[in-house]
Amino acid sequence: MPARKTLIDDTRPVLGIDIGGSGIKGALVDTASGELLSERIRLATPEGARPEDVAEVVADLVRKLNYSGPIGCGFPAVVLNGIVMTAANVHETWVGKDINQLLGAATGQPVYALNDADAAGMAEMRFGVGRLQSKGVIIMLTIGTGIGSAIFVDGKLVPNTEFGHMEIRGKDAEKRASDAARKRKDLSWKEWAERFSEFLNRLEWLFWPDLFILGGGISKETDKYLHYLKVRTKIVPAELENQAGIVGAALYAAAQVHLD
Ligand code: BGC
């Protein structure tokens, strides 16, 4: 049988990068299997996380992996067609910046950026827990410095939801119930779970989801708090842990290249 012809070589690894408040992580990803094909490199996010400084670190990461080709990049903000629209946990000068252009110029490669939780959610749906159940309304939450969200309806992402900024008791939900808030306020797991339950309950009343997937560093510690959460909806921890953001970003870039 003749080889199938596609616009890009599906077997070529794609670089996925996850920009976070403390680290910028990246690896080459096999977008067909979700496996990492290189070491996972983590460089410190520069102090203040200003656009130009972040771009330099991203370029450094690309050089370290000796990579050329499309780059997917998860970023902790609303990203609309490459334009950063918000800046809750990154430098305010990001707002209005074309991140694809900025990182594209710094690396010399085509860059496709999206919200970090959307990236993690896409990876979880394809290769993690979501592969077993994709029908219905599924909400993935990443709990770290902030609370990121991604909502899938029958497997299709509705991008840039920002449930972490829902107002609860007069405050941003993530200011009360992120993992950073738990540490900052020295909350016990039970106290934190009460706050987090309140947030989940609000989402339940608004979206009536079939499943919550909990990601971020805290997904490894479910034994400490899962039994304290009082919710109607089934909850499962994410499976890909700290690789989800990288893998999802690579998936996104591969899909964008096909669309271009
Ligand atoms: C940002 C989101 C992001 C989340 C997790 C929030 O503060 O507004 O865009 O997904 O943090 O990084």
Side-chain angles (χ1 to χ4, degrees):
M1 214 162 73
R4 186 170 63 104
K5 274 219 156 91
T6 55
L7 288 175
I8 63 160
D9 180 358
D10 285 332
T11 58
R12 249 197 92 190
V14 174
L15 174 56
I17 295 182
D18 186 15
I19 298 182
S22 59
I24 298 179
K25 296 138 274 179
L28 302 188
V29 177
D30 176 339
T31 55
S33 69
E35 273 162 40
L36 299 195
L37 296 173
S38 72
E39 58 171 328
R40 175 179 173 277
I41 295 190
R42 183 187 189 280
L43 302 175
T45 303
E47 185 75 29
R50 287 170 188 276
E52 294 69 24
D53 299 341
V54 168
E56 255 180 54
V57 175
V58 168
D60 197 19
L61 195 148
V62 174
R63 272 194 301 273
K64 282 194 163 48
L65 285 167
N66 195 18
Y67 176 81
S68 61
I71 300 173
C73 184
F75 190 73
V78 171
V79 183
L80 279 188
N81 302 315
I83 310 295
V84 176
M85 306 300 288
T86 61
N89 291 312
V90 288
H91 200 267
E92 62 196 28
T93 53
W94 275 102
V95 176
K97 281 254 169 355
D98 186 329
I99 183 171
N100 290 350
Q101 210 170 66
L102 181 76
L103 301 185
T107 59
Q109 309 301 325
V111 173
Y112 303 94
L114 76 164
N115 173 261
D116 58 350
D118 285 351
M122 282 169 60
E124 258 329 303
M125 292 299 288
R126 179 83 65 89
F127 303 115
V129 279
R131 77 189 185 282
L132 305 169
Q133 176 184 345
S134 64
K135 275 191 89 64
V137 175
I138 300 184
I139 297 181
M140 158 103 178
L141 297 165
T142 61
I143 310 146
T145 311
I147 297 180
S149 58
I151 184 164
F152 295 85
V153 183
D154 289 339
K156 185 127 181 66
L157 171 72
V158 179
N160 288 311
T161 54
E162 288 278 309
F163 298 155
H165 297 293
M166 188 177 276
E167 191 180 308
I168 296 189
R169 296 181 191 258
K171 272 196 171 178
D172 247 19
E174 70 175 22
K175 292 269 176 316
R176 304 186 75 246
S178 66
D179 198 32
R182 180 182 66 80
K183 291 177 183 151
R184 196 171 55 238
K185 293 173 201 289
D186 199 18
L187 301 173
S188 67
W189 283 106
K190 188 163 186 275
E191 286 167 327
W192 175 80
E194 273 164 22
R195 289 171 176 233
F196 196 65
S197 290
E198 197 173 2
F199 170 60
L200 294 178
N201 292 154
R202 188 75 74 79
L203 292 176
E204 287 188 305
W205 279 103
L206 292 171
F207 297 102
W208 295 92
D210 296 286
L211 182 70
F212 282 124
I213 304 176
L214 302 188
I218 220 167
S219 61
K220 283 175 271 175
E221 310 199 73
T222 42
D223 53 319
K224 305 210 172 94
Y225 61 83
L226 217 50
H227 52 289
Y228 290 132
L229 295 177
K230 293 195 179 71
V231 290
R232 180 194 63 87
T233 312
K234 185 176 164 197
I235 304 182
V236 291
E239 278 178 6
L240 303 181
E241 294 180 2
N242 57 11
Q243 285 183 19
I246 293 174
V247 173
L251 280 180
Y252 179 72
Q256 296 305 113
V257 169
H258 278 290
L259 292 177
D260 272 356

